[in-house]
Amino acid sequence: MEDSPFAPPPTDARDPSEGQPNNAPGNLPEYSVSEISQALKRTVESTFDRVRVRGEISRPTRAASGHVYLTLKDDKSVLDGICWRGQAQRLSIQPEEGMEVICVGKLTTYPGRSKYQIVIESMELAGEGALLKLLEERKRRLAAEGLFDDARKRPLPYLPKVIGVVTSPTGAVIRDILHRLVDRYPVHVLVWPVLVQGEAAKDQVSAAIRGFNALGNDGPVPRPDLLIVARGGGSLEDLWTFNEEEVARAAAESEIPLISAVGHETDTTLIDFVSDRRAPTPTAAAEIAVPVRADLIARVMENETRLFHAVTRRLGEAGTHLTGLARGLGDPRQLIESRAQAVDYAWSAIGGAIDRRVERLGLHLTGMAGRLVSPAQQIERFGDRVKSATERLGIAGQTRLRRAEEHLAHLGTRLSPLRIDRAITDGAREADRLGHALDASATRRIDDLTARLSALDRVLESNSFERTLERGFVLVRDADGTPITQAANAVAGQTVGLRFQDGERAAVIDGEGSGGKPKAKPKPKEKPKAKPATGQESLF
Amino acid sequence: MSDNDGGKNGGNDIESLGFEAALQELEGIVERLEQGQGSLDDAIAAYERGAALKQHCQKKLDEARMKVERIRVPEAGAPSETEAFDT
């Protein structure tokens, strides 16, 4: 140091009690302000080279230079603190007013202001409550940025080819993961060894996540298609790396789907909110990462079997259907044969028909030829016909004559005199009989008529007008003898005949009108007529 | 998932199909075949494709080998080598 010339005095000053009583005023070395300040600085810095100080942050300020100034205090004292820019950027927590922290650093003095302060190298939250408070604040901020959104979560590959694991290379976690992967589905695993606890952990974990994402598809190291960030269980402080904002951001930025598996089921760290899938344990992460290969083999085999059966059945059905259709279709040979047979039949029928036709035509021709008589023959035939006609003419005449004769003879036989005689005899007898009958009947009839006539005559006799005349009545007749029964018919001067019982007398009609009365005189004469005519009046 | 949409026509695309996509397509084919839909020609074509998909799935499953490597972390830049990982 440049203040070497002042080295001795501090040595002395270290033990002031030695000479204080003795070397009182005169022996006391004299320090300049700077000397004493420097001496103090050396003493403070060497004595408090590295200390942990717990206190509450008060008035934290970040200067334009990037250094952070703050005051640590408790109920009685205050201690100024400074965090140089480089350290301030690497602080795991950002100092906030009222935050209870434990700072690690060294004490130093600031001679220019007669001050001492702590140069903070690291800072951590004091107490779980404070840590949780900080975590909540971070969560709120990241959530507000949308880093927890479900829409950000990418689906995991069904069957990852390469899995990148970010974890400690030693310890149970990586072993658990590898064992479970082997059990389920052997796969290519790349382990990126990191510290999972302590100051350097957050940088290493973040770098590992980013490093895996930086791998190219064709590089010497294969790029994983799935990441697992894992750590075993521990206290909140132990797991704090995974609550670091830097780690959470790296996980959120990862293009490769990422499974977080930090601590045990009940532990939830910040990275769990931004990862694509949170596994409750590292072992569970392996289960989420890969399916069970045996199951897949079984599934593939089952599908193969079903595929085979389905197509076999389909073919069988098609075959059956085809057979059915073929049955309906009939044997083609049979079809051809039957057709051939039909052709044969038709052919033979045509042949026969032709033959028959030819034959018939031949016959017809022959017939025609036969009928085609020569003129000589025709003449001869005409001659024959003439002859035959002549003959038949003769024969016909004879036949007819004979028939007439025969008919005549027959009629002759029927014309018998015997028959006629008998008819005459019968007729005579009948006439005789009828004559007798007629006689008898006529006689009887005449007798009857005679009898009736006489009877009538008697009646007539009894009723004759002449008998009336006997009783005094006169019949008046005109010149012609016609009875005059009406007075009107008797004209005056007319000559009439009057018949009496015993003879006639002529008379002349006297008058016309008056004559009536005298004429009426005879009427009373009728009275006597009526008396004797009892029983005979009905005749009039 | 990324090589999921290999397409469903032709046979050469199967090689590029991911396991899950191949298995899903195989299951779809099996289901359709079992329902007896489509023409016989389609059924036979589907069977052929199904058989190829099965082959592909089988191959993928057979390829599964456990290989664990540890990244050698360089001071700067991307890791360029790995070493065997002993647990």
Side-chain angles (χ1 to χ4, degrees), chain A residues 438-456:
Chain A
L438 190 62
D439 278 355
S441 117
T443 310
R444 212 165 35 242
R445 183 89 177 154
I446 290 162
D447 289 350
D448 286 352
L449 288 172
T450 308
R452 284 178 65 183
L453 201 58
S454 55
L456 285 170

Side-chain angles (χ1 to χ4, degrees), chain A residues 264-503:
Chain A
H264 296 303
E265 277 181 58
T266 51
D267 302 325
T268 303
T269 54
L270 199 59
I271 194 174
D272 292 328
F273 293 100
V274 296
S275 66
D276 297 304
R277 191 79 183 272
R278 182 215 171 209
T281 61
T283 302
E287 288 171 357
I288 290 168
V290 293
V292 178
R293 180 165 169 265
D295 289 352
L296 293 181
I297 290 171
R299 222 168 119 189
V300 170
M301 280 172 67
E302 190 211 326
N303 273 289
E304 183 189 26
T305 308
R306 282 169 65 189
L307 182 72
F308 179 74
H309 282 316
V311 81
T312 304
R313 198 186 63 219
R314 190 70 198 279
L315 285 172
E317 283 168 0
T320 310
H321 191 202
L322 195 61
T323 311
L325 288 175
R327 202 173 293 131
L329 207 56
D331 184 1
R333 202 180 312 153
Q334 221 168 39
L335 279 177
I336 291 167
E337 280 168 357
S338 67
R339 289 287 195 289
Q341 201 173 7
V343 169
D344 284 348
Y345 275 137
W347 184 247
S348 63
I350 289 168
I354 289 169
D355 286 351
R356 272 198 303 280
R357 189 76 188 278
V358 169
E359 198 178 342
R360 211 180 301 138
L361 286 173
L363 284 173
H364 189 56
L365 200 60
T366 313
M368 295 294 274
R371 282 162 65 187
L372 197 68
V373 286
S374 69
Q377 274 176 319
Q378 283 191 24
I379 290 165
E380 193 184 339
R381 198 169 293 170
F382 275 121
D384 285 352
R385 276 172 75 182
V386 169
K387 205 167 101 192
S388 144
T390 314
E391 279 170 4
R392 275 155 58 194
L393 203 60
I395 290 165
Q398 284 172 3
T399 309
R400 211 172 233 189
L401 197 59
R402 198 174 57 240
R403 255 180 220 160
E405 278 172 356
E406 281 168 6
H407 191 55
L408 203 58
H410 178 66
L411 288 172
T413 54
R414 283 171 66 187
L415 197 66
S416 166
L418 208 69
R419 273 183 170 177
I420 297 167
D421 284 352
R422 194 164 59 223
I424 292 167
T425 315
D426 290 350
R429 195 179 298 142
E430 182 67 10
D432 206 26
R433 192 184 60 83
L434 287 170
H436 284 308
L438 190 62
D439 278 355
S441 117
T443 310
R444 212 165 35 242
R445 183 89 177 154
I446 290 162
D447 289 350
D448 286 352
L449 288 172
T450 308
R452 284 178 65 183
L453 201 58
S454 55
L456 285 170
D457 193 43
R458 277 194 306 277
V459 171
L460 195 62
E461 186 62 25
S462 63
N463 290 295
S464 163
F465 68 94
E466 289 176 346
R467 299 283 299 268
T468 309
L469 297 179
E470 283 176 9
R471 299 203 310 258
F473 292 92
V474 176
L475 176 63
V476 181
R477 286 192 282 199
D478 63 13
D480 301 328
T482 305
I484 298 168
T485 58
Q486 301 286 333
N489 295 341
V491 198
Q494 185 180 359
T495 306
V496 294
L498 301 176
R499 181 180 159 100
F500 296 93
Q501 184 203 349
D502 52 351

Side-chain angles (χ1 to χ4, degrees), chain B residues 3-37:
Chain B
D3 51 358
N4 191 356
D5 302 323
K8 284 170 183 166
N9 33 13
N12 296 333
D13 63 297
I14 289 178
E15 275 307 306
S16 62
L17 272 186
F19 176 86
E20 193 190 15
L23 183 58
Q24 277 178 354
E25 195 188 335
L26 173 59
E27 287 176 339
I29 285 173
V30 167
E31 217 157 283
R32 282 200 302 281
L33 261 186
E34 284 179 340
Q35 285 168 1
Q37 294 169 346

Side-chain angles (χ1 to χ4, degrees), chain A residues 192-258:
Chain A
W192 193 302
V194 292
L195 289 173
V196 293
Q197 194 171 344
E199 281 290 307
K202 61 171 180 170
D203 291 338
Q204 289 189 6
V205 171
S206 306
I209 294 171
R210 295 200 170 99
F212 271 136
N213 273 282
L215 287 172
N217 282 317
D218 308 320
V221 178
R223 177 185 166 95
D225 43 14
L226 178 67
L227 295 184
I228 297 173
V229 178
R231 192 211 186 280
S235 70
L236 181 62
E237 287 82 2
D238 290 341
L239 302 182
W240 195 251
T241 297
F242 302 94
N243 285 325
E244 299 290 2
E245 191 171 336
E246 188 185 351
V247 171
R249 286 194 185 280
E253 285 162 14
S254 175
E255 287 172 11
I256 302 170
L258 185 145

Side-chain angles (χ1 to χ4, degrees), chain A residues 188-189 191 293 299 314, chain B residues 27 34 38 61 67 69 71:
Chain A
H188 188 177
V189 176
V191 180
R293 180 165 169 265
R299 222 168 119 189
R314 190 70 198 279
Chain B
E27 287 176 339
E34 284 179 340
L61 291 173
K67 181 181 176 190
E69 290 175 302
I71 301 276

